[in-house]
Amino acid sequence: MTKVGFIGLGNMGMPMAINLVKAGHDVSAFDAVPALLEQAHSHGMITCGSAEEAVENVEIIVTMLPNGEIVKKVFNEIVPVAKAGTTIIDSSTIDVSSAKIVHKQGADAGLGCLDAPVSGGVGGAEAGTLTFMVGGPKTAFDAAQPILDVMGGKIVHCGEGGAGQSAKICNNMLLGVSMIGTCEAFSLAEKLGLDQKALFDVVSTSSGSCWSVNTYCPVPGVGPKSPSDNDYKPGFAAALMLKDLMLSQQAADESSMATPMGAHATEIYKAFVDAGHSDTDFSGIIGYLNEMKRG
Ligand code: NAD
């Protein structure tokens, strides 16, 4: 049994922490929202009045927070309190620069730091099947692995500090681009009078195949069950896709890298979210694209 401090009990963090309790670990938990602490208590966690209190005398700390600014704020609270040798796993999706800043802060204080963002959404968090993309020293990775194994189905050590966030935003930039391309192909096919199921049968086994077609087709009734079959309820909300695309563009700017398709996908998802679809699954952009006419 490992003593774990868990900070951030939102849509993702709560089920991840519950899985740690179910696996027999001793979880001290904190969230800024008191109602979530009550819920955590009912699931067998030790609830704490602050982030500092949650990390006193633990061996592993997990943070699952909204963005880089909040992660930096929480690290300022917990790093001075955590005992030397503790491993901190930040599973939030944040910008690469902030990830590198908190890595240095942790390392300077004698802590093992990992950026370990996830893929798999709330369903994966509940099932304990998340994919973890991990950056940081091998010693910290080895110390964290038994805890990551409880929450995840696949754990990939991607490299040094920041490599996990880099992998996450590159993957999701590709996903945003491929989803828009998939929507365009299916919409054009419909206009051409082509049966959507026939297009799926061709593309899913041809050179255009990709996850957005094969696993998460944006057309209802086509392919495996996906949010398109549930009125585009997320799934993976458009606001989260936009967040990750914006992080990809921040990273592209900071490394003077041109990503024209990523930039265009970001603009399109921004327009979709601004039109009131932040809580729609990101595959729901097919309806929005269908309303666009060529100028
Ligand atoms: P969420 O907003 O539901 O949860 C974040 C939690 O952090 C909230 O409960 C909030 O109260 C808490 N919090 C904020 N500031 C705090 C502070 N200073 N101290 C303590 N607690 C604080 O978000 P989520 O959906 O659980 O996502 C968490 C992270 O995981 C994000 O970075 C997100 O991008 C990433 N992510 C989410 C999904 C998804 O499908 N929801 C998938 C992959 C990755």
Side-chain angles (χ1 to χ4, degrees), residues 51-172:
E52 289 94 326
E53 191 186 330
V55 305
E56 274 170 5
N57 296 316
V58 300
E59 298 144 272
I60 302 269
I61 299 167
V62 184
T63 50
M64 193 52 168
L65 297 161
N67 59 47
E69 285 314 305
I70 294 176
V71 169
K72 284 191 280 191
K73 178 179 173 290
V74 169
F75 266 63
N76 284 338
E77 292 163 7
I78 62 177
V79 167
V81 181
K83 60 180 185 197
T86 302
T87 303
I88 308 186
I89 306 167
D90 177 37
S91 280
S92 327
T93 301
I94 65 170
D95 57 289
V96 178
S97 306
S98 296
K100 288 183 176 169
I101 289 169
V102 297
H103 266 280
K104 181 165 181 334
Q105 184 182 10
D108 288 350
L111 309 174
C113 263
L114 299 170
D115 52 301
V118 299
S119 172
V122 174
E126 286 169 352
T129 56
L130 294 167
T131 296
F132 281 88
M133 302 150 236
V134 189
K138 179 79 169 63
T139 44
F141 179 77
D142 289 343
Q145 181 120 33
I147 291 298
L148 295 175
D149 279 341
V150 172
M151 300 183 287
K154 183 153 176 85
I155 323 292
V156 183
H157 189 206
C158 299
E160 286 308 307
Q165 298 296 349
S166 300
K168 166 86 188 184
I169 58 171
C170 289
N171 180 73
N172 280 19

Side-chain angles (χ1 to χ4, degrees), residues 10-12 30-33 36 64-66 70 93 118 121 240 243:
N11 294 323
M12 295 291 289
F30 176 67
D31 192 284
V33 174
L36 292 173
M64 193 52 168
L65 297 161
I70 294 176
T93 301
V118 299
L240 288 172
K243 172 191 171 182

